[in-house]
Amino acid sequence: MRDVAIVAFAQSRHARSTAEVSEVELLMPVLHEAFDQVELKASDIGFTCSGSSDYLAGRAFSFTMALDGVGAWPPISESHVEMDGAWALYEAWVKILTGEADTALVYSYGKSSPGDVREVLTRQLDPYYVAPLWPDPVALAALQARALIDAGHTSEPELAGVAARSRASARDNPYAQLTSVRDGGEYVVQPLRRQDCPPVGDGAAAIVLAAGDTARRLCARPAWIRGLDHRIEAHSLGVRDLTDSPSTRLAAERAGLFDAPVDTAELHAPFTSQEVVLRRALRLGDEVDVNPSGGPLAANPIMAAGLIRLGEAAARIHRGDSDRAVAHATSGPCLQQNLVAVLEGDVK
Amino acid sequence: MTEVLSAPLVVEFPFTRSLGPVQSAFLTGLRERTVLGVRTGDDRVLVPPVEYDPVTSAELRELVEVGATGTVTTWAWNPDPGRNQPLSTPFAWVLVRLDGADTAMLHALDAAGPDAVSTGMRVRIRWAAERVGAITDIACFEPDDGTGPPERAATAHHGEFTDPVTGIVAPARLDYVYSPGRAQTRYLAALADRKMIGERCPSCRKVYIPPRGACPTCGVATEEQVEVGPGGTITTFCIVNIKARGLDIEVPYVYAHIALDGADLALHGRIGGLPYDQVRMGMRVEPVWSDDGGFPDHYRPTGEPDAGYDTYKEMV
Ligand SMILES: [Zn+2]
C-alpha cells in the first residue's frame, strides 16, 4: 500500500457571521494558504475533492461556484461529497492509494450564518418518522446526554469541565471562534447548557495530501495516514444504544488505532457529552491530549469541522508536537456516522 | 467599505414521498389509532417499523400490534419550541418504548415541566383530532396516570386497512438572509447607478460580468473593476415558448447570451423591441433599464451593423 500524508493544512478565522463575503471569497484565501505552504498551484494537483451542503446557506449548486476559487481550467479531476470534508479526504486518499493521483487538494466550507442551522439540520433526518417533528441537533444530543447521565457515564459537572477545558485550550488557537464559557449556564435543551453546545459559525478549511517521496519533498515532517476508516450505524435513534459508539470503535480498530498509543486526539464532538462517548469508544486515557485546538466546542463550521480535526492533528505532527495522533470526524445525529484516522510522524 | 447587502430568501418545497408496504401499514394504522411494529428474524419488535432489518438487511414483513402506552427511555426538556415542532409550549423530547416493542420512537411529551419527567416514566399516546396517515397523527405523548390500558405484548396483525395511505407530502420551509459577498455587492451597487461593472482577473486579464469574486480559470480574486457596455453583441439565443409561472411576459420571446463591449464572458438577458423571429447572432443590443429598480429589464437592438462572428466567437 502506498504511503500517503497530509502535507499542508489551512483554515479560516471562524466567525459567527461572514456576511461580507461569498462562499468562494471565504474559501479562496484558505486554498491559497494551503498551496503556499507546499509551493504548489492548482495545476500541480492530481485530484481535487470537496465537501459542503447547499442547505446551510440555501444556495443551490454553491459548490460549483466555490470551485471558481480553485482555478479549474484546463479541466481538473474533481469530485464533491455532500458531507463533511473529512469524507472528501477519504475519497482523495483512496484515489491516491489506487495510483491515479500523487497529490490531492481537499477542502470544505460551511456558512451557517444565513440560515437557522438548528432547523436546517432537521432536514437530514428520516423523512417519514422523524423529520416531520423537526427535532434539532441540540435536542437529539440532549437525549443522548440524558442517556449517558442515567447510565452513570457522566454528569452535568463533568460536562461543564469538558466545556471549560475546550475553551481554555482554544485560547492558543488564533482561528477559534469561542474561547470562553461566560454566560453559558442556561439550558438550551436540558440537560445541555449553552456551554455544552458548539458555537454556530462560518468557516473553511483545506488540506493537501501527497504520496511517498512527493510528500517528503513538500513537507519537512509529513503526517502519514497510517489508517483511515469510516462506519455508520442505523438511522433510527431508538434502535441504537446512544451511550456507546460501536461505529467509532470499529473504524478505530480498522484504522489501527489500538495497535500503539497516541499522544493526541482531535475529536469531532460538537457537544460535550459526545466527547464522553468518543473517549470510551477510542479508549483514550488521561495521558492523551484531547482537542488541544479547542475542538468543535471552540469552532464548529459545519461541513468543515471534521476535516479541521484531521488538519489540526496533522499540524501538530508537522510542528513536532505529536508523534502519533488520532483524528475523528462525525456526521448525522448523535454520532451516527464516524470516521477515524491514525496519523504518524517519522521518528525525530 | 460598502455596506453589506442582504435580502430574505425562502426555500420552500413539498417533498412527495411514496411508502413501502411496512411504512404504509404503520402510517395507515396511526390514522386508525393502531400502532404497528415489525418483527425481525431474531424476534425483536421494531417500532417504528422499517422495511429492512437495520442489522441483517433482511426484508421485514411480519407486522404486529403494540400498545399505545409505553416507557420513556430518555428525555430532554425543550424550553423554547421551534415553529414546526409538535407542541407550541415547552415540552420534553422523548424516546418511548411502546409496550410490546423492543425499540424506542422519538416524539414529544406534553408535561408540566422538567421536574415532571423522568426516565422510566409511563406515558401514553395523545392522538391528533384529525389524522391523515402521518407520524404527526400522534399529537404527542402525555403522562399515563395509570388509567390507560395495562402493559401488553405484541400481537399479530394483518396490516390491512381500507384506503391505505401510499405516500406522504412533507412540506419544508427554510428561511435565510441572503448576502451576495464583496464582488456582487459592488456589481449591484453600480447597477443602481445604471452602470455595468465587471471585474478583471489580474492573471489572465479577462473581464467577468457579473463578477463572482474569483477567476474560475486562474482561481484568484478579481478586484480591478471595469465598466463594460452598455452596448453588446448577441452571441447565441433561444426562443422561449412556454410561459413561466408568475412571469408577466408574452411568449414567444427571445432569451440571449449577450457579450457586453469590454467583457470576456457573456451574460444573459431577454431581447425585446423587435419580433422574436428577427433576432440573430451578432446583433448589436443595449440595455433598457427597469423603471423602478436598477437592473436591465431587457435588451433592444441599437440599429448598428451586426458584429462579425470573429469578434465574439470566443464567447459563444
Ligand atoms: Zn484569470
Side-chain angles (χ1 to χ4, degrees):
Chain A
M1 206 155 95
R2 300 182 89 190
D3 287 332
V4 181
I6 294 174
V7 294
F9 166 57
Q11 61 184 317
S12 61
R13 288 177 190 270
H14 310 296
R16 176 64 189 88
S17 172
T18 55
E20 71 284 3
V21 289
S22 67
E23 283 158 319
V24 68
E25 288 166 342
L26 170 70
L27 173 67
M28 198 163 39
V30 176
L31 297 177
H32 292 173
E33 193 191 325
F35 281 144
D36 288 350
Q37 284 176 22
V38 283
E39 295 175 6
L40 292 179
K41 47 190 192 303
S43 54
D44 301 324
I45 295 290
F47 180 62
T48 297
C49 197
S50 60
S52 67
S53 173
D54 288 356
Y55 275 81
L56 281 182
R59 299 186 187 194
F61 294 100
S62 67
F63 64 92
T64 61
M65 304 277 208
L67 203 52
D68 286 356
V70 176
W73 185 267
I76 61 170
S77 172
E78 186 266 342
S79 182
H80 174 265
V81 296
E82 186 94 359
M83 297 198 72
D84 187 285
W87 276 264
L89 184 141
Y90 183 89
E91 181 175 338
W93 176 67
V94 170
K95 194 87 167 178
I96 294 177
L97 288 182
T98 63
E100 285 190 42
D102 276 336
T103 54
L105 170 68
V106 181
Y107 65 87
S108 59
Y109 62 91
K111 271 174 81 96
S112 294
S113 60
D116 178 339
V117 73
R118 287 175 68 183
E119 281 203 339
V120 170
L121 289 178
T122 66
R123 301 300 88 195
Q124 71 179 328
L125 302 168
D126 170 357
Y128 303 99
Y129 301 160
V130 182
L133 306 174
W134 295 74
D136 60 274
V138 184
L140 299 175
L143 288 168
Q144 184 175 35
R146 169 61 56 198
L148 285 161
I149 292 168
D150 285 345
H153 292 316
T154 192
S155 62
E156 292 191 42
E158 185 182 323
L159 297 182
V162 172
R165 192 210 72 233
S166 298
R167 273 60 180 254
S169 298
R171 279 175 212 144
D172 296 329
N173 176 357
Y175 304 97
Q177 181 182 335
L178 190 63
T179 56
S180 124
V181 292
R182 265 184 303 142
D183 308 323
E186 80 280 14
Y187 287 119
V188 181
V189 180
Q190 190 177 340
L192 293 181
R193 301 171 191 270
R194 180 80 47 202
Q195 66 197 20
D196 294 309
C197 302
V200 175
D202 302 350
I207 275 177
V208 178
L209 298 179
D213 288 341
T214 306
R216 289 181 193 94
R217 182 165 54 77
L218 294 174
C219 182
R221 194 172 190 240
W224 299 106
I225 300 172
R226 293 304 183 208
L228 182 54
D229 195 70
H230 66 92
R231 300 280 149 172
I232 192 166
E233 295 174 38
H235 66 81
S236 179
L237 291 168
V239 168
R240 293 169 47 193
D241 174 1
L242 296 179
T243 66
D244 194 12
S245 185
S247 56
T248 300
R249 187 179 301 107
L250 182 56
E253 272 170 25
R254 306 266 307 188
L257 173 64
F258 304 128
D259 300 348
V262 292
D263 52 54
T264 302
E266 278 286 342
L267 306 181
H268 188 188
F271 298 93
T272 52
S273 43
Q274 294 177 342
E275 181 179 307
V276 175
V277 178
L278 293 173
R279 276 180 181 268
R280 291 176 66 236
L282 297 171
R283 299 178 208 156
L284 301 176
D286 291 340
E287 72 287 0
V288 178
D289 197 352
V290 173
N291 285 349
S293 67
L297 288 164
N300 189 40
I302 291 176
M303 312 313 281
L307 184 67
I308 291 169
R309 304 282 72 74
L310 285 128
E312 290 282 7
R316 283 177 72 82
I317 290 172
H318 295 161
R319 294 194 297 265
D321 294 341
S322 168
D323 294 323
R324 191 168 195 265
V326 58
H328 159 269
T330 195
S331 181
C334 299
L335 304 172
Q336 185 195 1
Q337 186 172 9
N338 297 283
L339 176 148
V340 176
V342 176
L343 306 176
E344 284 179 2
D346 289 327
V347 177
K348 281 175 272 195
Chain B
M1 153 141 189
T2 328
E3 180 190 357
V4 175
L5 299 176
S6 68
L9 170 69
V10 177
V11 178
E12 190 167 20
F13 31 77
F15 278 112
T16 304
R17 297 182 179 276
S18 56
L19 300 174
V22 173
Q23 293 168 318
S24 170
F26 174 68
L27 293 178
T28 307
L30 295 184
R31 190 189 67 196
E32 308 302 326
R33 300 212 246 188
T34 299
V35 187
L36 299 184
V38 72
R39 198 182 295 279
T40 66
D42 61 351
D43 209 26
R44 283 155 45 84
V45 172
L46 308 182
V47 180
V50 290
E51 309 274 332
Y52 298 93
D53 189 307
V55 177
T56 67
S57 78
E59 187 173 276
L60 301 177
R61 291 295 179 267
E62 188 188 338
L63 296 170
V64 293
E65 183 177 353
V66 299
T69 50
T71 303
V72 170
T73 63
T74 186
W75 62 281
W77 186 256
N78 181 20
D80 185 20
R83 59 179 175 176
N84 300 299
Q85 292 173 350
L87 294 167
S88 56
T89 51
F91 66 89
W93 290 106
V94 281
L95 285 174
V96 176
R97 190 173 55 242
L98 290 171
D99 296 340
D102 292 296
T103 62
M105 68 183 296
L106 178 78
H107 221 293
L109 170 67
D110 188 4
D115 294 342
V117 186
S118 59
T119 300
M121 76 183 282
R122 297 284 296 160
V123 295
R124 66 183 174 214
I125 290 173
R126 180 190 297 164
W127 295 102
E130 283 182 34
R131 295 179 307 281
V132 296
I135 193 69
T136 45
D137 288 354
I138 298 175
C140 62
F141 282 85
E142 58 192 16
D144 181 30
D145 51 13
T147 60
E151 283 196 50
R152 51 169 291 175
T155 53
H157 194 283
H158 46 70
E160 285 167 16
F161 301 93
T162 55
D163 192 21
V165 295
T166 56
I168 59 167
V169 178
R173 173 186 166 134
L174 297 169
D175 288 67
Y176 300 92
V177 176
Y178 185 93
S179 295
R182 288 188 194 119
Q184 292 202 62
T185 296
R186 291 190 288 256
Y187 172 70
L188 293 169
L191 279 185
D193 296 332
R194 302 198 166 185
K195 284 190 179 135
M196 313 279 269
I197 300 289
E199 297 203 351
R200 190 190 303 280
C201 172
S203 176
C204 69
R205 309 297 297 163
K206 280 195 165 135
V207 173
Y208 294 96
I209 187 163
R212 301 196 189 281
C215 172
T217 301
C218 305
V220 297
T222 56
E223 281 169 350
E224 181 193 343
Q225 283 115 66
V226 182
E227 185 170 349
V228 300
T233 302
I234 294 177
T235 63
T236 185
F237 66 93
C238 65
I239 298 166
V240 179
N241 285 289
I242 296 173
K243 208 171 162 71
R245 196 166 62 172
L247 201 61
D248 189 24
I249 297 168
E250 286 307 310
V251 291
Y253 65 86
V254 171
Y255 208 70
H257 273 190
I258 300 152
L260 293 174
D261 297 341
D264 292 291
L265 190 76
L267 49 64
H268 44 83
R270 182 169 62 88
I271 305 299
L274 80 168
Y276 72 91
D277 58 358
Q278 291 179 25
V279 175
R280 53 195 183 271
M281 287 170 70
M283 177 175 263
R284 296 286 297 162
V285 294
E286 63 186 5
V288 177
W289 293 86
S290 63
D291 292 334
D292 48 347
F295 61 92
D297 177 73
H298 64 277
Y299 292 77
R300 70 181 171 208
T302 62
E304 297 166 86
D306 284 4
Y309 183 65
D310 283 347
T311 67
Y312 63 86
K313 68 180 180 188
E314 293 297 322
M315 283 178 279
V316 172

